[in-house]
Amino acid sequence: MNLASPFSLALVAITALAFLGLPIGLSMICGSILYLALSGADMGIVAEQFLNGMYSNYVILAVPLFILAAELMNIGSMTERLLSFCNVLVGRFRGGLAQVNVVQSIIFAGMSGSAIADAAGTGSMMQKLMTDGNRYTPSFAAALTAVTSVIGPIIPPSIPMVIYALVSDASIGYLFLAGMVPGLLMAGLQMVQVAITARRQNFPVEEPVPLREIPGITWRALPALFMPVLLLGCIYSGVTTPTEAAALAAAYALLVSAVLYRSIRWDALYRALLSSSKTTASIGMLIAGALVFNYVITIENIPESIKGVLTSWDMSPVVFLIFVNILLLLLGCFLEGTTILLIVVPVLIPTAQALGIDLVHFGVVVVVNIMLGLVTPPYGLLLFIVAKISGAPLRDIVRDALPFILWMALCLAVITFIPDVVLWLPRLLGYQG
């Protein structure tokens, strides 16, 4: 590569601006403008790519709607009712409150589609419950909240899978189905580790819920429990598209919290709308920057060049998937997941297609890798979030999270080398891949 070429200078500009603190989305836009200026191209291309990508793609609209649904659930009493129901299911076992943390992540996974929303929404509540009376150390409670939160974007619905569908043209519906078994497998392995740690460290056993209270707790949680059933049922029955289902999820969360539970105040609703708007704007700017920079990458023929290099190495699909896992796990230690999805993954997709790798299988492998990156140091965004919530030292949280991360790596290996674990459910419901 010519280090004085417009593309090389654009990469330098993006890297320098990002290190100086400019958001990565704006950095990519600035670097792309520099590339177009140096190459003598029409500067209006930046606006054209931005407008065509952001306003002609119906899929992107699902992202802010799922974010809003998560915010509305968190300000209502849906969270408390669901936690009470989870306690009925697994609270009676040793380390039961830790098992509740895992189970609630499975349930919330069918609602928000965001690991950060799950960690921020239920994280502070679970932290308070687990550390009350010194039943669990703050670092273990925080570590468990971090690792269970990654289940959210694997079990449908999933914001990262929506973004992957945007860059790969894979079916969102089949991607959602493909994440179901890996997500449940990961949750099961986490529950195994909780049971092992509970026995080893003699975690407390919670007071069993009296039988006479179980029907009432279940009844009060039923409207919230119905949300993932409604959401996924509408998608897979064909009644709605995933984007329309996201709108339905937000409307249902507002209806249940405001009308049935009567737990939303106007000031809390305003804060929820403001928070979801800020998050949407941040993700939208990142997608906009990626759309413009992906145009530059396409002009430079980077995906085809990388495809030619990798295929010339005579890689088998298995070797390529190992290469992708190593690459994404390393990048996940330093880069934010959406950036990897929008910039790195599109470059790898042509090679995956050339090797005959199913794009739905590839998408789940990519998303699980990115979720692992959220809990691996030094970047580990979820680790920073739970450290702030808990006040526990980051090194202690990483130590307590390590056994869970190893189980998650095992889950990644299983879905990488046994595609049927991922594709079984989609094929059962009509997928031809």
Side-chain angles (χ1 to χ4, degrees):
M1 179 186 291
N2 181 4
L3 296 179
S5 68
F7 184 69
S8 298
L9 293 174
L11 286 179
V12 171
I14 291 171
T15 305
L17 290 171
F19 273 115
L20 289 173
L22 192 69
I24 186 65
L26 289 175
S27 300
M28 287 188 288
I29 292 174
C30 293
S32 301
I33 290 174
L34 177 63
Y35 170 87
L36 295 172
L38 293 175
S39 60
D42 182 7
M43 300 296 290
I45 290 174
V46 173
E48 180 184 343
Q49 291 297 313
F50 175 84
L51 293 173
N52 288 341
M54 294 296 288
Y55 296 107
S56 65
N57 199 309
Y58 190 56
V59 171
I60 296 177
L61 188 58
V63 175
L65 291 171
F66 279 130
I67 292 171
L68 178 60
E71 290 288 343
L72 292 173
M73 285 189 297
N74 289 335
I75 64 170
S77 61
M78 295 177 74
T79 301
E80 294 91 330
R81 294 168 191 259
L82 288 172
L83 289 179
S84 297
F85 176 75
C86 294
N87 189 50
V88 168
L89 296 179
V90 293
R92 65 176 60 88
F93 304 112
R94 182 164 297 281
L97 203 52
Q99 299 287 14
V100 167
N101 202 333
V102 182
V103 173
Q104 63 86 19
S105 290
I106 298 173
I107 295 175
F108 273 90
M111 301 181 187
S112 72
S114 167
I116 294 172
D118 289 351
T122 61
S124 57
M125 190 172 301
M126 287 305 307
Q127 186 73 27
K128 182 178 180 181
L129 288 173
M130 291 182 68
T131 55
D132 188 36
N134 296 318
R135 288 181 288 185
Y136 299 85
T137 63
S139 62
F140 178 82
L144 186 61
T145 296
V147 297
T148 57
S149 295
V150 306
I151 298 172
I154 300 172
I155 296 177
S158 165
I159 291 175
M161 286 185 184
V162 171
I163 296 174
Y164 174 81
L166 172 68
V167 301
S168 68
D169 287 329
S171 165
I172 298 179
Y174 287 129
L175 279 167
F176 282 1
L177 281 173
M180 187 73 74
V181 173
L184 293 175
L185 174 62
M186 185 174 291
L189 293 174
Q190 290 179 350
M191 294 181 79
V192 168
Q193 180 58 42
V194 167
I196 293 171
T197 307
R199 187 170 296 275
R200 183 182 302 155
Q201 299 189 15
N202 196 30
F203 284 165
V205 178
E206 305 302 316
E207 288 290 331
V209 178
L211 288 176
R212 64 179 181 275
E213 295 182 13
I214 293 177
I217 292 173
T218 304
W219 177 255
R220 288 190 292 273
L222 201 58
L225 289 169
F226 184 67
M227 182 173 171
V229 177
L230 175 68
L231 181 63
L232 300 178
C234 287
I235 293 175
Y236 298 124
S237 65
V239 174
T240 66
T241 66
T243 301
E244 291 165 345
L248 183 62
Y252 184 79
L254 179 60
L255 178 68
V256 170
S257 297
V259 179
L260 291 182
Y261 293 160
R262 298 182 180 180
S263 57
I264 290 185
R265 302 187 312 273
W266 285 108
D267 59 333
L269 179 60
Y270 171 76
R271 288 195 300 271
L273 292 171
L274 185 62
S275 175
S276 60
S277 299
K278 289 179 179 178
T279 305
T280 299
S282 175
I283 294 176
M285 185 58 68
L286 188 56
I287 293 175
L291 289 170
V292 177
F293 187 62
N294 282 341
Y295 173 80
V296 173
I297 289 176
T298 303
I299 291 296
E300 286 289 314
N301 207 28
I302 300 298
E304 289 300 317
S305 299
I306 292 178
K307 173 184 170 183
V309 171
L310 293 178
T311 52
S312 69
W313 290 352
D314 197 25
M315 280 186 174
S316 67
V318 171
V319 173
F320 174 73
L321 287 172
I322 293 173
F323 166 77
V324 169
N325 280 335
I326 294 172
L327 175 65
L328 295 183
L329 286 173
L330 289 174
L331 290 175
C333 293
F334 303 97
L335 295 178
E336 195 267 335
T338 307
T339 305
I340 297 174
L341 275 171
L342 292 169
I343 300 301
V344 179
V345 173
V347 175
L348 299 172
I349 287 174
T351 307
Q353 289 177 306
L355 292 173
I357 297 171
D358 185 90
L359 286 187
V360 170
H361 173 230
F362 188 66
V364 174
V365 171
V366 165
V367 169
V368 172
N369 268 289
I370 289 171
M371 292 305 101
L372 267 171
L374 289 175
V375 291
T376 51
Y379 186 75
L381 183 58
L382 284 177
L383 297 177
F384 291 121
I385 290 174
V386 297
K388 183 177 181 181
I389 292 172
S390 66
L394 185 61
R395 63 180 180 276
D396 293 343
I397 296 174
V398 172
R399 179 199 63 213
D400 289 333
L402 187 58
F404 295 96
I405 294 173
L406 295 176
W407 281 111
M408 293 161 66
L410 174 62
C411 179
L412 175 61
V414 169
I415 67 172
T416 298
F417 300 123
I418 310 177
D420 286 342
V421 172
V422 175
L423 297 176
W424 169 76
L425 188 56
R427 285 170 177 164
L428 189 66
L429 296 178
Y431 181 58
Q432 300 299 317

